[in-house]
């Protein structure tokens, strides 16, 4: 998460003086309880008290438009999700070694949204647990130990998943069983055939792993490449790469923690945009709209081989409460047309941002799919020089204009526009106008 | 969890014929959605519909006394925990990179229950995530890679934590950086000085790790040794071992997922029984009474070094909803005197079980602390021959008598008596009488 940290600030006691007394007291308590692990957004951290839909309310009375958070994907504190969770928690909350029905209703509905070859669902509590399990499934199936990821990927926080998260090890050599390939970045690496280039990089990395003796277990990729800087186009550019993965006997693990659950607007899953079929799909963040849940959809043969060899038990994963929350999230996405909204408002938003980019040369690129949009700041448009300082100023400047947002990418110069899915055209207008206003306030 | 699996049954379609049509349909759905990962308790799995306090209600109308589950530690569906969680979920549910206050109130209350040297709290979602993080903290701090655990330990399901969970790798060689020492089992390995013997085993294992080049990072132990078979006596027997850990420059990681939160009755944490001070304490299961939450309390210097080198972010860990659930659990333990109840009822229960053991030679040993009791079945009392078949029959026989229970230990012959903490003397009587009745029904 180093990229995000570029746009954040480690807690600095000096900063506390700038905030009011209540917030200062809270910062002190935070420093005492969390210690150096206290990483906060913003130069002046925001003290939150409530949230609803696409808005968050701070203690000082400011209402913020949330253009950042994808966990509350169907909207902060969605009443139906809260109710489903509360009602189930009052009745039964146990683990999966007893029989109960709603977890299977949930699994059936989720599996129906996935390619048929992904026959089974395993339930976990976080994106990290899902990816950690996926690595175990892939090494068990292939006998290989090696994984390929993209250069600024983040897949989670466990020991095994940190090892495949180059963004958690900036400037350090990756472990011997991991190779990182450049993100599919057509803006900085213009190409005539992104799909072929991306596949060629992957092929080279796999050869290296095989030569090194690590073998090849799989390719792990977030199909929206969120921490790499958000790359969605052209649709289909992952196809050649996935063919390479399979040709080498490895598994394609699609990390849908970011693009999944309707965000990209093209389909329920990000990988659908590319017409590829993963061997394992991992899920997290938006799955329970804040209730801690994750999942792994997997091929029957891959799972059978894992269960024959090891097995898996997750205490909280797949509890009736998780299932109830998950079902309410699916209902909300379907009943409220949130995937369609992501597509429509996302297209509108990108259009407006591209219009703005024509007027503001510091906006080098606008790209994305649905409600996952990247906006890259550059200091020299021709040279496309990344301008992380401007991104940092924009994040804080937008905050002063009632908008919460963050940055991504290897240079931290790309605004990560990723609001809750009920984001409206009006919200998009408010955001673009604020961005315009911020840019107008910058010295030319 | 292989030990528990001894007392369980992998789903077998043939078994389905024995259950009613509704349950059969559910088993079919389960086989389709979960596939081979479907591991269920009991020869005839129980279809649960609700639970309250120490009771669980099955679809066929049976009310079961729960003598097994420690996640719903303050009682199934505790109304105050449910209410706290629901109320908070309706107001604000975000991650820790914004400021909000209840998570610090929670951390303050929890840290106040821990030795002062454990200055900071990191919040995760599961026991696995807590232990995985603890391993990372310890390797970063010591520069060593090696860990020592007990022979039948279970610490969780991630790649790194599975590597230190011998019970997940029955019959297989442990990874090179892991050494397992015998559990502190004074029943099967009579000794004049358990503390010294346990420490000597540990010392040998650490020497081996150092000689092998892996180095020594830490000793991970659940102070009630739950999957090893439950060993609590004599109090203090861990002291020599922890001295050895520190003499070798390693960290003592106390896995409090099982004994923590008042269960052992002696103190809030299991390690208090032994008068030792861990360097890291990991938490899970009972922390949120079913809300997925875990935690790591850690020394300030160990955390500082980790944050300087890496850092950590957990999306759902420490959310306001987790904090609300955690606070309600602390309230329940304190307001309802559950730790005191664990001590009193646990002592009463062990007394009654020991009385029963005098009449029933198949009960070889009764041991434990508070409401964590092990009861070991043996076929030949003199030889102390483990009788796993009897444990299996007892689990199913008790189920027929309205009681849910499981087994632990390397032979699967030890009943694991671990009910929600509001367990009463009356509940204890019901359980002991049912056990007596079951044993009376066994052929002599
Ligand atoms: C693509 C991706 N995968 C996995 C994760 C890990 O999720 P969690 O923090 O819930 O473990 C993240 C979190 O940022 C993510 O962005
Ligand atoms: C002692 C101990 N530690 C850790 C864990 C892992 O907890 P979880 O399944 O919540 O990850 C368990 C679970 O059984 C446990 O018994």
């Amino acid at each position: 998460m180093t990229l995000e940290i570029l746009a954040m600030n480690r807690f600095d006691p000096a900063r506390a003086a700038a905030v009011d007394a209540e917030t200062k007291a809270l910062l002190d308590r935070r420093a005492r309880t969390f210690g150096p692990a206290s990483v906060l957004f913003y130069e002046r951290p925001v003290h939150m008290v409530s949230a609803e839909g696409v808005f968050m309310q701070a203690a000082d009375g400011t209402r913020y438009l949330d253009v950042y958070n994808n966990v509350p994907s169907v909207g902060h504190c969605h009443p139906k999700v809260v109710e489903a969770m509360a009602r189930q928690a009052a009745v039964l909350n146990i683990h999966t070694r007893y029989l109960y029905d709603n977890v299977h209703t949930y699994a059936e509905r989720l599996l129906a949204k996935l390619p048929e070859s992904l026959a089974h669902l395993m339930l976990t509590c976080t994106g990290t647990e899902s990816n950690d399990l996926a690595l175990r499934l892939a090494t068990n199936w292939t006998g290989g130990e090696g994984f390929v990821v993209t250069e600024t990927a983040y897949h989670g926080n466990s020991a095994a998943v940190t090892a495949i998260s180059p963004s958690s090890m900036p400037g350090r050599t990756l472990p011997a069983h991991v190779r990182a390939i450049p993100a599919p970045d057509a803006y900085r690496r213009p190409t005539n055939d992104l799909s072929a280039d991306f596949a060629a990089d992957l092929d080279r990395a796999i050869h290296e792993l095989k030569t090194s003796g690590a073998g090849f277990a799989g390719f792990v990729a977030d199909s929206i490449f969120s921490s790499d800087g958000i790359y969605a186009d052209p649709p289909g550019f992952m196809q050649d790469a996935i063919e390479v993965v399979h040709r080498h006997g490895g598994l394609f693990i699609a990390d849908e923690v970011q693009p999944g659950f309707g965000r990209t607007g093209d389909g329920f899953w990000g990988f659908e945009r590319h017409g590829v079929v993963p061997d394992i799909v991992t899920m997290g963040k938006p799955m329970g709209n804040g209730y801690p849940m994750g999942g792994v959809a997997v091929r029957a043969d891959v799972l059978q081989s894992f269960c024959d060899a090891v097995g898996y038990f997750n205490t909280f994963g797949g509890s009736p409460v998780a299932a109830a929350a998950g079902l309410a999230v699916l209902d909300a996405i379907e009943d409220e047309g949130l995937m369609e909204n992501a597509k429509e408002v996302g297209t509108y938003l990108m259009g407006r941002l591209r219009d703005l980019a024509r007027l503001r040369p510091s906006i080098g690129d606008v790209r994305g799919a649905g409600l996952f949009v990247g906006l890259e700041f550059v200091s020299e448009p021709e040279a496309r020089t990344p301008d992380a300082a401007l991104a940092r100023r924009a994040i804080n400047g937008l905050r002063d204009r009632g908008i919460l947002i963050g940055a991504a990418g290897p240079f931290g110069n790309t605004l990560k526009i990723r609001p809750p899915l009920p984001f409206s055209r009006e919200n998009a207008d408010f955001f673009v106008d604020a961005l315009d206003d911020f840019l107008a306030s910058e010295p030319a």
Side-chain angles (χ1 to χ4, degrees), chain A:
Chain A
M1 302 297 286
T2 16
L3 316 165
E4 294 198 16
I5 291 171
L6 284 173
M8 284 186 290
N9 301 277
R10 294 213 168 229
F11 170 60
D12 166 7
R15 223 194 303 147
V19 297
D20 64 58
E22 196 190 326
T23 301
K24 185 180 177 321
L26 192 50
L27 286 170
D28 288 344
R29 292 172 66 200
R30 185 169 165 111
R32 273 199 305 275
T33 51
F34 286 1
S38 170
V39 173
L40 282 164
F41 284 136
Y42 297 108
E43 285 157 21
R44 293 176 296 111
V46 197
H47 175 180
M48 292 297 178
V49 292
S50 66
E52 194 180 347
V54 296
F55 293 103
M56 298 175 77
Q57 183 78 36
D60 66 5
T62 315
R63 190 175 82 149
Y64 292 98
L65 176 65
D66 184 358
V67 189
Y68 180 77
N69 289 294
N70 64 338
V71 171
S73 190
V74 301
H76 285 276
C77 304
H78 192 292
K80 287 190 182 158
V81 180
V82 173
E83 195 199 320
M85 196 180 90
R87 190 182 298 168
Q88 183 62 53
V91 172
L92 185 73
N93 188 12
I94 52 174
H95 56 73
T96 52
R97 283 174 172 175
Y98 301 105
L99 270 179
Y100 43 90
D101 55 16
N102 73 341
V103 71
H104 302 297
T105 308
Y106 180 64
E108 283 160 0
R109 279 184 61 183
L110 202 62
L111 289 169
K113 295 183 183 294
L114 283 156
E116 221 174 329
S117 54
L118 295 166
H120 300 304
L121 183 67
M122 303 176 83
L123 289 156
T124 70
C125 299
T126 66
T128 295
E129 287 196 335
S130 302
N131 282 326
D132 198 292
L133 175 55
L135 300 184
R136 297 183 66 203
L137 287 161
T139 51
N140 176 76
W141 177 254
T142 61
E145 294 291 330
F147 288 95
V148 183
V149 293
T150 47
E151 272 173 0
T152 313
Y154 179 77
H155 295 293
N157 59 47
S158 70
V161 178
T162 298
I164 61 149
S165 294
S167 73
S168 296
M169 297 168 268
R172 272 188 280 170
T173 319
L174 294 176
H177 70 290
V178 182
R179 287 292 179 285
I181 60 173
D185 174 357
Y187 176 62
R188 289 186 184 285
R189 302 168 81 220
T191 164
N192 291 324
D193 190 340
L194 183 60
S195 189
D197 288 358
F198 191 53
D201 286 339
L202 182 56
D203 192 49
R204 233 182 333 266
I206 296 171
H207 275 290
E208 277 178 41
L209 283 173
K210 289 187 157 177
T211 311
S212 79
F216 177 53
F219 173 50
V220 187
D222 157 8
S223 60
I224 195 74
F225 300 90
S226 65
S227 60
D228 280 290
I230 305 149
Y231 305 101
D233 285 323
F237 76 67
M238 293 185 76
Q239 284 184 6
D240 290 341
I242 304 315
E243 259 184 56
V244 165
V245 170
H246 289 146
R247 197 187 320 130
H248 283 283
L251 300 184
F252 167 38
I253 298 169
D255 179 341
E256 289 284 334
V257 167
Q258 295 280 349
F261 293 84
R263 173 160 297 276
T264 60
D266 300 310
F268 199 80
W269 309 105
F271 63 78
E272 292 178 59
R273 184 175 180 87
H274 295 292
V276 292
V277 177
D279 304 289
I280 295 176
V281 169
T282 61
M283 311 161 205
K285 295 187 191 271
M287 197 172 187
N289 209 51
Y291 191 85
M293 60 189 293
V296 178
V298 55
R299 277 167 37 191
D301 49 359
V302 173
L303 179 58
Q304 183 68 58
S305 147
F306 183 72
C307 290
D308 290 345
V310 225
Y312 183 81
F313 178 66
N314 189 305
T315 299
F316 305 123
S319 74
V321 180
L327 279 165
V329 167
L330 296 184
D331 284 344
I333 295 172
E334 291 167 11
D335 299 349
E336 297 165 28
L338 294 179
M339 190 164 105
E340 297 71 18
N341 188 67
K343 174 126 198 135
E344 194 217 304
V345 177
T347 305
Y348 174 76
L349 172 64
M350 265 193 285
R352 280 221 52 197
L353 290 170
R354 286 183 174 135
D355 288 346
L356 185 63
R358 276 187 281 278
L359 306 173
R360 303 280 180 197
S362 60
I363 301 179
D365 195 27
V366 173
R367 57 183 178 250
L371 282 170
F372 209 138
V373 178
L375 183 152
E376 191 156 342
F377 286 120
V378 291
S379 53
E380 282 158 75
E382 291 304 306
R384 309 188 168 186
T385 317
D387 195 344
L390 178 56
R392 238 177 346 253
R393 289 197 302 280
I395 288 168
N396 288 288
L398 286 168
R399 178 256 173 94
D400 293 337
R401 288 165 178 82
I403 285 167
L404 300 173
I405 202 165
F411 314 107
N413 69 320
T414 299
L415 281 193
K416 187 163 63 177
I417 303 166
R418 190 189 53 180
L421 300 186
F423 205 70
S424 67
R425 277 172 181 251
E426 192 195 339
N427 299 147
D429 285 335
F430 181 82
F431 165 64
V432 180
D433 293 346
L435 180 61
D436 190 21
D437 186 63
F438 159 75
L439 290 170
S441 77
E442 283 278 297

